Amino acid sequence: MLSQAVVKRLKEIVGERNVVTDKVGLLTYGYDGTLLSGEALGVVSPQTTEQVVEIVKLMNEHDIKLVPRGAGTNESGGTIPSEKSVVISFTKMTKIHEIDTENFVAVVEPGVINFDLQVELAKKNFYFPPDPSSFKASTIGGNLGECSGGPKCFKYGVTRDYMLGLEVVLPNGKVIQTGGRNFQSEPGYDLTRIIVGSEGILGLVTKVFVRILPIPRAKKTMLALYDKVEDASQTVADIVAAGIIPTTLELMDNLLINTTEDFTHAGLPRDAGAVLIIEVDGYPEDMDGQVKTIGEIASKIAKEFKVAQTAVEVDQIWTSRRSAFGSVARVRPSYGVNDITVPRSNFPKAIEGVLKVAKDFGVTIGVVAHAGDGNLHPLILFDQRNKEETETVHAAEQALCMMALDLDGTISGEHGIGLVKKKYLDKEFTPAAMEAFRKIKRSFDPSNRFNPGKIIDL
Amino acid sequence: MSNVNISKLKGIVGDAYVIDSPSEMAKYLKGQGKPAVVVLPASTSEVSSIVKLANEKNVKLGVGGVVVDTQGITGGIAMVMSRMNRILEMDHLNLVAVVEPGLLHKEFLLKVAEAGLNFPPEPYVVETSSVGGCFAIGDSDSKSFEYGPTRTFLLGFEMVLPTGEILEIGNKCIKNVSGLDFIHFAVGSQGTFGIFTKLLVKLLPVPEAKKAVIGTFPSMHKANATFNTLIKRNVHPTRMNLINASLAKIAKPETEGQLVIIDLQGFKESGKNIANEVASVLTLGGGSDVKIIEEGAEYDQMINGWLKVRAELNAKPERIVEFVVGPMKMPQALAQLEALTGDLGAYPGIIVEGLLGYVCLALPEGTDKLVLATKVNKLAMSLGGNVKGLLGHKLKAEVYNDAEMWKQTTSLLSELRQQFDPKGILNPGVSLEA
Ligand SMILES: Cc1cc2nc3c(=O)[nH]c(=O)nc-3n(C[C@H](O)[C@H](O)[C@H](O)COP(=O)(O)OP(=O)(O)OC[C@H]3O[C@@H](n4cnc5c(N)ncnc54)[C@H](O)[C@@H]3O)c2cc1C
Ligand SMILES: Cc1cc2nc3c(=O)[nH]c(=O)nc-3n(C[C@H](O)[C@H](O)[C@H](O)COP(=O)(O)OP(=O)(O)OC[C@H]3O[C@@H](n4cnc5c(N)ncnc54)[C@H](O)[C@@H]3O)c2cc1C
C-alpha cells in the first residue's frame, strides 16, 4: 500500500485522474503478454518529462521501485510488477512532436502507438520500418524497450537500427540526451544502443528521435505453399544464396494455416504443410527480375507459388500472418509464445527440434517464423487451468530454449528476457558476459530502482 | 622508470615480438607519447596474459592495428594486433565472417569481395585501419544511409577485458535481443571496454550492379543544390558525396573545381535509369564533365579516390571539425559556414556527405579548433544539428546552459569506463571528457 502522503504527492504531480490505487484498477496493470501476473502498489501516468523526473525523485525518497510500461504487450514478463513497485505508464505521453520527412527523422513521445505513427507517416508517404505484429497496440517506448523485430528485419533490421537519439530520465532523477537527430551524435559511448533493448532497467525514455524512410516505390508479395516445413526452409536458403534480400520471409506451419483460416478465410489450402510469405520492395523496374528468380527457386520444391495481384490479396495474406498468435486461442484456451533464433543455416534443424519437443512432451506446438532471420515462434497450446499440463508446457519451453542454444542460437530473437527467460540467461552467456551486464546496470542504476528483477539481478 | 617487465613479456609472446629499441619501435607508433615497449601478440591467450601483467603492475596499455596511438602510454605498452590477422571463417549460408582484429580493413574488403560478398563500412584511414579498429571507432560513413552505420555489421566478438579476462558474446543470428546489448554498446568504445580479439561480422550479398556518376562544379553551393534536388526526387544513392576544390585532386587528379561523386549500388535495371536521372540533375544543376562510370576498374578507382580523401581527414582528428545537420538543411548550413570560413572551395578541406547531412572541415594552420567548433556548433544547432560526437554534446550543453546534463553524461560515461577498467589502464589516451 502506498501511504496517503505519497498518493497525494503523486496526484499533485500528474493530476488526480492519472494515479490508480484501487484494486480493480491495479489488476489490469498486473498483466502483460505472458501468463504471469503481479500487483503494483499504484500506477502513475505522467504527461511530461518534468513529471517523470518528479515521480522518480519521489519514489527514491520513499524507496519504492518503478516499473515502466507501454501497452503491456511484451511477451517476457517485462512489465510485471515485482517487489515494492509503482508502475509508471507512458500511455499518456502520446505526442508526435515532429515529423520531418525532408531530414528523415521524427520526434515522438514514448507512449505513441506504433500504428498511429505509421498512419501519420503514411500521409507523407513515409514509414517507420520496425513494425512488430503487435503494432496496432504496442508503443514506441515498448518497441525500444524490447528492441522489437517484426516481419521486415531481414532487409531493414530491428528497432535498434532506427533509434537516433533519446531523452532519458536516469534512476537518480537526472535527465540526459543520448544521440540526436542523426547517426553521429553519441557522446563517446553509444548510450542509445545500450538503452534500446534494456527493458526499462537502465532509464525511463521520455522522448525518442526515430529514423524514418520513404515508402518504397514498389513492392511484390508472394506466397508459396509446401507439403512440408522443411521444403519451405530450403526455399529460404536458396533465395539468400541467390543474393536476394527480401523484406520478408514469413513462415507458418499447417496448424497455423488452419487456425488463421478459421479466423480470416483467406483461402489458404488447409492441407498444406507450410506457407511462406515472401515480399520484396524497391524500384519498380527491379521487381520483375526478383519475382522471376524467386518464383523459379520456390517452384523447384513448392506445390504452389503465386504472386499477389491486387492490394486486397496482399492484405489478405498479411491478415493471416498478423492474426497468427491470436488465432490459436480458438484451439485451446491458453498458448505460450516462444521466441528462439538460430543461425539461418540451422533453421531446418530447429524445425526438427520443435517437432521433437512436441513429441517428447506430448504438447501441441504450432510454428510461426521469421524464417529469413532464423527466428521461430513456436506456440504451445494448452489449458492454463490444468496445473499438470502447465508444468509440462514450462518444461517444453525450457527444452526449446536449450535446443536453440545447442544450435548456436539465442533464447530471444525479439521478445526480450524479462522475467520469463531470466533463469536461462546464464546458459546463453558466460560469467564474464553476465558480469558485463551487471557492470552496465550498476553504472546506471546502482540502487536497482528501475524495473528490478528483470533480465538480471544485481 | 617503467614498470614494464620485458622478460615476462618475452615469455608470453616470444623474444622476436617484444620490441624495446626506440628506433625499431618507431614504425609501430604515432603521436608524442613514449611507450617502453611494443608487443605483438599472436593469440587471445597472449593478449590476455599481457593485459593481466599490465593490470598487476598498473601499466598503461594502448592498442592499435598496425600503428598505436601513443597518447597517454608513456612508459607503458603499445600492443600491435597485426599478427592476429586471419579470417577464421567465411560462412556463406549465414552471411557472416569470423575475423581477427589485426587484419587490415582494406585487406578484409578484398577477401570479402573475393568471396562474392559485401562488407559496407568504409576504412577509416585506408592504409592503417584494422578491422578491430573499425569496430572500436564504430563510426558511420557516407554509405550509412543505405547500409546503416558500422555497428550494424557486428554480431558478436571475443574481447580481452582490462582485467585480462576473456569475454565472448554474440552468435550468428541476425536477430538477438538476449541480455543487455553489450555487443553494440562495445562498438565505438575505442578499446576502453576491452581489446577485441575476434569479431563476428555480418556480411551482405554483393549488389547486382555498381555505377558511379561524377561531375565537377564551380561552387560548393551549386553542387550541393543538386543533392537537394535528388532527395526531393526521392533518389537515395548509396553515396552522395561532395569534395571541395582543395581536396578534389586527391580523389581525382587534375580535377578543377568541386567534385561530386554519386555511388549507385543496387540492381541493373533501376541502376541504369537512376544513373541517367542523376547525370541529368547534375548537368542541369551546373555540373561539367558529368560522367556515368560503368566500368569496374574506373569505378573502383573513383571510390578509392574518395577513401583517400576520407583518410586524409581522419588521420588528423585534432585538425578537423565535423558537424551534422538534416540533409535538406545543408544549403543554409553551407551558406552560413561561408561566413566563418570564407570561400568554401578554397578552404583547406571540406567534404559533404549529402545523405547524412555530414560536413567535415580540415582546418587551416593556426586555427583554434575549439573556437571554430563552438561557432560551427551554434550554426548547426540553429539548423537542428550539432557538432559530431562527444565534443558536440559538450558544446550543446554549453549552448543550453545545461552544465548539469553535461556533468551527468560524463559521470555516467566515466562510471561505465571505471566499471570495466577500474585501474584505467586501457587506451588512456582516449578521453571521455571532450
Ligand atoms: C499479438 C502479439 C504480437 C507480437 N508480435 C511481435 C513481433 O512481431 N515482434 C516483436 O518483436 N514483438 C512482438 N510482440 C511483443 C510485444 O508486442 C513487443 O515487445 C512490443 O514492442 C511491446 O510494446 P509495449 O508498448 O506493449 O511495451 P510494454 O510491454 O509495455 O513494455 C516492454 C518493455 O519496455 C519497457 N518500457 C516501456 N516503455 C518504456 C519507456 N518509456 N522507458 C523505458 N522502458 C520502457 C517496459 O518496462 C518493458 O520492459 C507481440 C506481442 C503480441 C501480444
Ligand atoms: C585525441 C587523438 C589524437 C590523435 N593524434 C594523432 C597524431 O598525433 N598523429 C596521428 O597520426 N594520428 C593521430 N590520431 C589519429 C588516430 O590515432 C588514428 O589515426 C585513427 O584512430 C585511425 O586509426 P586506424 O584506423 O588507422 O587504426 P586502428 O589501429 O585500426 O585503430 C583505431 C582505433 O581503434 C582502437 N583499436 C584498434 N584495434 C583494436 C582492438 N583490437 N580492440 C580494441 N580497440 C582497438 C585503437 O586504439 C584506435 O583507437 C589521434 C586520434 C585522437 C583521437
Side-chain angles (χ1 to χ4, degrees), chain B residues 214-230:
Chain B
I214 58 169
T216 51
F217 286 78
S219 85
M220 290 289 279
H221 304 290
K222 278 221 150 127
N224 180 67
T226 64
F227 291 178
N228 283 37
T229 308
L230 288 171

mmCIF file with all atom_site columns, all heavy atoms in Angstrom, chain B residues 214-230:
data_model
loop_
_atom_site.group_PDB
_atom_site.id
_atom_site.type_symbol
_atom_site.label_atom_id
_atom_site.label_alt_id
_atom_site.label_comp_id
_atom_site.label_asym_id
_atom_site.label_entity_id
_atom_site.label_seq_id
_atom_site.pdbx_PDB_ins_code
_atom_site.Cartn_x
_atom_site.Cartn_y
_atom_site.Cartn_z
_atom_site.occupancy
_atom_site.B_iso_or_equiv
_atom_site.pdbx_formal_charge
_atom_site.auth_seq_id
_atom_site.auth_comp_id
_atom_site.auth_asym_id
_atom_site.auth_atom_id
_atom_site.pdbx_PDB_model_num
ATOM 1   N N   . ILE B 1 214 ? 29.862 11.074 -61.749 1.00 0.00 ? 214 ILE B N   1
ATOM 2   C CA  . ILE B 1 214 ? 30.685 12.140 -61.201 1.00 0.00 ? 214 ILE B CA  1
ATOM 3   C C   . ILE B 1 214 ? 30.473 13.425 -62.003 1.00 0.00 ? 214 ILE B C   1
ATOM 4   O O   . ILE B 1 214 ? 29.977 13.396 -63.132 1.00 0.00 ? 214 ILE B O   1
ATOM 5   C CB  . ILE B 1 214 ? 32.190 11.781 -61.206 1.00 0.00 ? 214 ILE B CB  1
ATOM 6   C CG1 . ILE B 1 214 ? 32.669 11.471 -62.623 1.00 0.00 ? 214 ILE B CG1 1
ATOM 7   C CG2 . ILE B 1 214 ? 32.457 10.598 -60.286 1.00 0.00 ? 214 ILE B CG2 1
ATOM 8   C CD1 . ILE B 1 214 ? 34.186 11.367 -62.731 1.00 0.00 ? 214 ILE B CD1 1
ATOM 9   N N   . GLY B 1 215 ? 30.853 14.512 -61.410 1.00 0.00 ? 215 GLY B N   1
ATOM 10  C CA  . GLY B 1 215 ? 30.748 15.795 -62.102 1.00 0.00 ? 215 GLY B CA  1
ATOM 11  C C   . GLY B 1 215 ? 31.509 16.840 -61.306 1.00 0.00 ? 215 GLY B C   1
ATOM 12  O O   . GLY B 1 215 ? 31.777 16.645 -60.109 1.00 0.00 ? 215 GLY B O   1
ATOM 13  N N   . THR B 1 216 ? 31.901 17.924 -61.936 1.00 0.00 ? 216 THR B N   1
ATOM 14  C CA  . THR B 1 216 ? 32.574 18.994 -61.205 1.00 0.00 ? 216 THR B CA  1
ATOM 15  C C   . THR B 1 216 ? 31.737 20.265 -61.265 1.00 0.00 ? 216 THR B C   1
ATOM 16  O O   . THR B 1 216 ? 30.989 20.495 -62.223 1.00 0.00 ? 216 THR B O   1
ATOM 17  C CB  . THR B 1 216 ? 33.971 19.283 -61.788 1.00 0.00 ? 216 THR B CB  1
ATOM 18  O OG1 . THR B 1 216 ? 33.859 19.474 -63.183 1.00 0.00 ? 216 THR B OG1 1
ATOM 19  C CG2 . THR B 1 216 ? 34.925 18.147 -61.509 1.00 0.00 ? 216 THR B CG2 1
ATOM 20  N N   . PHE B 1 217 ? 31.894 21.063 -60.221 1.00 0.00 ? 217 PHE B N   1
ATOM 21  C CA  . PHE B 1 217 ? 31.046 22.250 -60.073 1.00 0.00 ? 217 PHE B CA  1
ATOM 22  C C   . PHE B 1 217 ? 31.883 23.462 -59.729 1.00 0.00 ? 217 PHE B C   1
ATOM 23  O O   . PHE B 1 217 ? 32.876 23.355 -59.005 1.00 0.00 ? 217 PHE B O   1
ATOM 24  C CB  . PHE B 1 217 ? 30.008 22.015 -58.967 1.00 0.00 ? 217 PHE B CB  1
ATOM 25  C CG  . PHE B 1 217 ? 28.907 21.087 -59.369 1.00 0.00 ? 217 PHE B CG  1
ATOM 26  C CD1 . PHE B 1 217 ? 29.113 19.717 -59.385 1.00 0.00 ? 217 PHE B CD1 1
ATOM 27  C CD2 . PHE B 1 217 ? 27.667 21.581 -59.758 1.00 0.00 ? 217 PHE B CD2 1
ATOM 28  C CE1 . PHE B 1 217 ? 28.103 18.847 -59.775 1.00 0.00 ? 217 PHE B CE1 1
ATOM 29  C CE2 . PHE B 1 217 ? 26.646 20.723 -60.142 1.00 0.00 ? 217 PHE B CE2 1
ATOM 30  C CZ  . PHE B 1 217 ? 26.865 19.360 -60.156 1.00 0.00 ? 217 PHE B CZ  1
ATOM 31  N N   . PRO B 1 218 ? 31.433 24.620 -60.203 1.00 0.00 ? 218 PRO B N   1
ATOM 32  C CA  . PRO B 1 218 ? 32.158 25.838 -59.904 1.00 0.00 ? 218 PRO B CA  1
ATOM 33  C C   . PRO B 1 218 ? 32.046 26.243 -58.436 1.00 0.00 ? 218 PRO B C   1
ATOM 34  O O   . PRO B 1 218 ? 32.936 26.905 -57.911 1.00 0.00 ? 218 PRO B O   1
ATOM 35  C CB  . PRO B 1 218 ? 31.495 26.889 -60.798 1.00 0.00 ? 218 PRO B CB  1
ATOM 36  C CG  . PRO B 1 218 ? 30.159 26.319 -61.156 1.00 0.00 ? 218 PRO B CG  1
ATOM 37  C CD  . PRO B 1 218 ? 30.313 24.846 -61.137 1.00 0.00 ? 218 PRO B CD  1
ATOM 38  N N   . SER B 1 219 ? 30.955 25.845 -57.763 1.00 0.00 ? 219 SER B N   1
ATOM 39  C CA  . SER B 1 219 ? 30.875 26.221 -56.348 1.00 0.00 ? 219 SER B CA  1
ATOM 40  C C   . SER B 1 219 ? 30.282 25.085 -55.531 1.00 0.00 ? 219 SER B C   1
ATOM 41  O O   . SER B 1 219 ? 29.563 24.224 -56.051 1.00 0.00 ? 219 SER B O   1
ATOM 42  C CB  . SER B 1 219 ? 30.010 27.478 -56.175 1.00 0.00 ? 219 SER B CB  1
ATOM 43  O OG  . SER B 1 219 ? 28.648 27.108 -56.085 1.00 0.00 ? 219 SER B OG  1
ATOM 44  N N   . MET B 1 220 ? 30.587 25.105 -54.239 1.00 0.00 ? 220 MET B N   1
ATOM 45  C CA  . MET B 1 220 ? 30.048 24.102 -53.319 1.00 0.00 ? 220 MET B CA  1
ATOM 46  C C   . MET B 1 220 ? 28.519 24.220 -53.248 1.00 0.00 ? 220 MET B C   1
ATOM 47  O O   . MET B 1 220 ? 27.823 23.216 -53.160 1.00 0.00 ? 220 MET B O   1
ATOM 48  C CB  . MET B 1 220 ? 30.627 24.308 -51.916 1.00 0.00 ? 220 MET B CB  1
ATOM 49  C CG  . MET B 1 220 ? 32.093 23.978 -51.792 1.00 0.00 ? 220 MET B CG  1
ATOM 50  S SD  . MET B 1 220 ? 32.427 22.191 -51.894 1.00 0.00 ? 220 MET B SD  1
ATOM 51  C CE  . MET B 1 220 ? 32.041 21.678 -50.220 1.00 0.00 ? 220 MET B CE  1
ATOM 52  N N   . HIS B 1 221 ? 28.048 25.457 -53.283 1.00 0.00 ? 221 HIS B N   1
ATOM 53  C CA  . HIS B 1 221 ? 26.596 25.658 -53.151 1.00 0.00 ? 221 HIS B CA  1
ATOM 54  C C   . HIS B 1 221 ? 25.846 25.027 -54.317 1.00 0.00 ? 221 HIS B C   1
ATOM 55  O O   . HIS B 1 221 ? 24.831 24.368 -54.143 1.00 0.00 ? 221 HIS B O   1
ATOM 56  C CB  . HIS B 1 221 ? 26.291 27.152 -53.069 1.00 0.00 ? 221 HIS B CB  1
ATOM 57  C CG  . HIS B 1 221 ? 27.038 27.830 -51.956 1.00 0.00 ? 221 HIS B CG  1
ATOM 58  N ND1 . HIS B 1 221 ? 26.740 27.613 -50.642 1.00 0.00 ? 221 HIS B ND1 1
ATOM 59  C CD2 . HIS B 1 221 ? 28.089 28.684 -51.974 1.00 0.00 ? 221 HIS B CD2 1
ATOM 60  C CE1 . HIS B 1 221 ? 27.579 28.316 -49.874 1.00 0.00 ? 221 HIS B CE1 1
ATOM 61  N NE2 . HIS B 1 221 ? 28.404 28.973 -50.670 1.00 0.00 ? 221 HIS B NE2 1
ATOM 62  N N   . LYS B 1 222 ? 26.376 25.263 -55.509 1.00 0.00 ? 222 LYS B N   1
ATOM 63  C CA  . LYS B 1 222 ? 25.720 24.707 -56.705 1.00 0.00 ? 222 LYS B CA  1
ATOM 64  C C   . LYS B 1 222 ? 25.719 23.183 -56.649 1.00 0.00 ? 222 LYS B C   1
ATOM 65  O O   . LYS B 1 222 ? 24.720 22.527 -56.945 1.00 0.00 ? 222 LYS B O   1
ATOM 66  C CB  . LYS B 1 222 ? 26.484 25.144 -57.954 1.00 0.00 ? 222 LYS B CB  1
ATOM 67  C CG  . LYS B 1 222 ? 26.123 26.535 -58.440 1.00 0.00 ? 222 LYS B CG  1
ATOM 68  C CD  . LYS B 1 222 ? 26.042 26.534 -59.961 1.00 0.00 ? 222 LYS B CD  1
ATOM 69  C CE  . LYS B 1 222 ? 25.043 27.547 -60.416 1.00 0.00 ? 222 LYS B CE  1
ATOM 70  N NZ  . LYS B 1 222 ? 25.594 28.486 -61.403 1.00 0.00 ? 222 LYS B NZ  1
ATOM 71  N N   . ALA B 1 223 ? 26.871 22.644 -56.272 1.00 0.00 ? 223 ALA B N   1
ATOM 72  C CA  . ALA B 1 223 ? 26.983 21.190 -56.223 1.00 0.00 ? 223 ALA B CA  1
ATOM 73  C C   . ALA B 1 223 ? 25.999 20.633 -55.212 1.00 0.00 ? 223 ALA B C   1
ATOM 74  O O   . ALA B 1 223 ? 25.251 19.688 -55.483 1.00 0.00 ? 223 ALA B O   1
ATOM 75  C CB  . ALA B 1 223 ? 28.405 20.795 -55.858 1.00 0.00 ? 223 ALA B CB  1
ATOM 76  N N   . ASN B 1 224 ? 25.979 21.252 -54.056 1.00 0.00 ? 224 ASN B N   1
ATOM 77  C CA  . ASN B 1 224 ? 25.111 20.752 -53.005 1.00 0.00 ? 224 ASN B CA  1
ATOM 78  C C   . ASN B 1 224 ? 23.630 20.872 -53.378 1.00 0.00 ? 224 ASN B C   1
ATOM 79  O O   . ASN B 1 224 ? 22.815 20.043 -52.974 1.00 0.00 ? 224 ASN B O   1
ATOM 80  C CB  . ASN B 1 224 ? 25.407 21.495 -51.700 1.00 0.00 ? 224 ASN B CB  1
ATOM 81  C CG  . ASN B 1 224 ? 24.522 21.016 -50.586 1.00 0.00 ? 224 ASN B CG  1
ATOM 82  O OD1 . ASN B 1 224 ? 24.635 19.880 -50.150 1.00 0.00 ? 224 ASN B OD1 1
ATOM 83  N ND2 . ASN B 1 224 ? 23.597 21.864 -50.167 1.00 0.00 ? 224 ASN B ND2 1
ATOM 84  N N   . ALA B 1 225 ? 23.315 21.912 -54.141 1.00 0.00 ? 225 ALA B N   1
ATOM 85  C CA  . ALA B 1 225 ? 21.916 22.090 -54.542 1.00 0.00 ? 225 ALA B CA  1
ATOM 86  C C   . ALA B 1 225 ? 21.413 20.870 -55.323 1.00 0.00 ? 225 ALA B C   1
ATOM 87  O O   . ALA B 1 225 ? 20.235 20.491 -55.220 1.00 0.00 ? 225 ALA B O   1
ATOM 88  C CB  . ALA B 1 225 ? 21.762 23.361 -55.369 1.00 0.00 ? 225 ALA B CB  1
ATOM 89  N N   . THR B 1 226 ? 22.298 20.244 -56.083 1.00 0.00 ? 226 THR B N   1
ATOM 90  C CA  . THR B 1 226 ? 21.847 19.058 -56.838 1.00 0.00 ? 226 THR B CA  1
ATOM 91  C C   . THR B 1 226 ? 21.477 17.919 -55.889 1.00 0.00 ? 226 THR B C   1
ATOM 92  O O   . THR B 1 226 ? 20.597 17.125 -56.186 1.00 0.00 ? 226 THR B O   1
ATOM 93  C CB  . THR B 1 226 ? 22.935 18.551 -57.822 1.00 0.00 ? 226 THR B CB  1
ATOM 94  O OG1 . THR B 1 226 ? 24.084 18.115 -57.079 1.00 0.00 ? 226 THR B OG1 1
ATOM 95  C CG2 . THR B 1 226 ? 23.348 19.639 -58.794 1.00 0.00 ? 226 THR B CG2 1
ATOM 96  N N   . PHE B 1 227 ? 22.144 17.866 -54.730 1.00 0.00 ? 227 PHE B N   1
ATOM 97  C CA  . PHE B 1 227 ? 21.803 16.827 -53.749 1.00 0.00 ? 227 PHE B CA  1
ATOM 98  C C   . PHE B 1 227 ? 20.371 17.008 -53.271 1.00 0.00 ? 227 PHE B C   1
ATOM 99  O O   . PHE B 1 227 ? 19.615 16.057 -53.127 1.00 0.00 ? 227 PHE B O   1
ATOM 100 C CB  . PHE B 1 227 ? 22.746 16.875 -52.533 1.00 0.00 ? 227 PHE B CB  1
ATOM 101 C CG  . PHE B 1 227 ? 24.160 16.453 -52.837 1.00 0.00 ? 227 PHE B CG  1
ATOM 102 C CD1 . PHE B 1 227 ? 25.131 16.477 -51.843 1.00 0.00 ? 227 PHE B CD1 1
ATOM 103 C CD2 . PHE B 1 227 ? 24.534 16.030 -54.104 1.00 0.00 ? 227 PHE B CD2 1
ATOM 104 C CE1 . PHE B 1 227 ? 26.437 16.085 -52.097 1.00 0.00 ? 227 PHE B CE1 1
ATOM 105 C CE2 . PHE B 1 227 ? 25.836 15.638 -54.374 1.00 0.00 ? 227 PHE B CE2 1
ATOM 106 C CZ  . PHE B 1 227 ? 26.789 15.670 -53.367 1.00 0.00 ? 227 PHE B CZ  1
ATOM 107 N N   . ASN B 1 228 ? 20.043 18.268 -53.008 1.00 0.00 ? 228 ASN B N   1
ATOM 108 C CA  . ASN B 1 228 ? 18.680 18.516 -52.542 1.00 0.00 ? 228 ASN B CA  1
ATOM 109 C C   . ASN B 1 228 ? 17.657 18.144 -53.608 1.00 0.00 ? 228 ASN B C   1
ATOM 110 O O   . ASN B 1 228 ? 16.591 17.614 -53.306 1.00 0.00 ? 228 ASN B O   1
ATOM 111 C CB  . ASN B 1 228 ? 18.525 19.969 -52.108 1.00 0.00 ? 228 ASN B CB  1
ATOM 112 C CG  . ASN B 1 228 ? 19.147 20.207 -50.742 1.00 0.00 ? 228 ASN B CG  1
ATOM 113 O OD1 . ASN B 1 228 ? 20.181 19.618 -50.434 1.00 0.00 ? 228 ASN B OD1 1
ATOM 114 N ND2 . ASN B 1 228 ? 18.526 21.025 -49.916 1.00 0.00 ? 228 ASN B ND2 1
ATOM 115 N N   . THR B 1 229 ? 18.014 18.455 -54.848 1.00 0.00 ? 229 THR B N   1
ATOM 116 C CA  . THR B 1 229 ? 17.108 18.075 -55.935 1.00 0.00 ? 229 THR B CA  1
ATOM 117 C C   . THR B 1 229 ? 16.906 16.558 -55.948 1.00 0.00 ? 229 THR B C   1
ATOM 118 O O   . THR B 1 229 ? 15.778 16.072 -56.051 1.00 0.00 ? 229 THR B O   1
ATOM 119 C CB  . THR B 1 229 ? 17.694 18.516 -57.292 1.00 0.00 ? 229 THR B CB  1
ATOM 120 O OG1 . THR B 1 229 ? 18.032 19.903 -57.197 1.00 0.00 ? 229 THR B OG1 1
ATOM 121 C CG2 . THR B 1 229 ? 16.705 18.299 -58.417 1.00 0.00 ? 229 THR B CG2 1
ATOM 122 N N   . LEU B 1 230 ? 17.980 15.831 -55.799 1.00 0.00 ? 230 LEU B N   1
ATOM 123 C CA  . LEU B 1 230 ? 17.865 14.369 -55.838 1.00 0.00 ? 230 LEU B CA  1
ATOM 124 C C   . LEU B 1 230 ? 17.015 13.851 -54.682 1.00 0.00 ? 230 LEU B C   1
ATOM 125 O O   . LEU B 1 230 ? 16.158 12.988 -54.867 1.00 0.00 ? 230 LEU B O   1
ATOM 126 C CB  . LEU B 1 230 ? 19.259 13.728 -55.810 1.00 0.00 ? 230 LEU B CB  1
ATOM 127 C CG  . LEU B 1 230 ? 20.061 13.895 -57.111 1.00 0.00 ? 230 LEU B CG  1
ATOM 128 C CD1 . LEU B 1 230 ? 21.502 13.421 -56.928 1.00 0.00 ? 230 LEU B CD1 1
ATOM 129 C CD2 . LEU B 1 230 ? 19.393 13.142 -58.261 1.00 0.00 ? 230 LEU B CD2 1
#
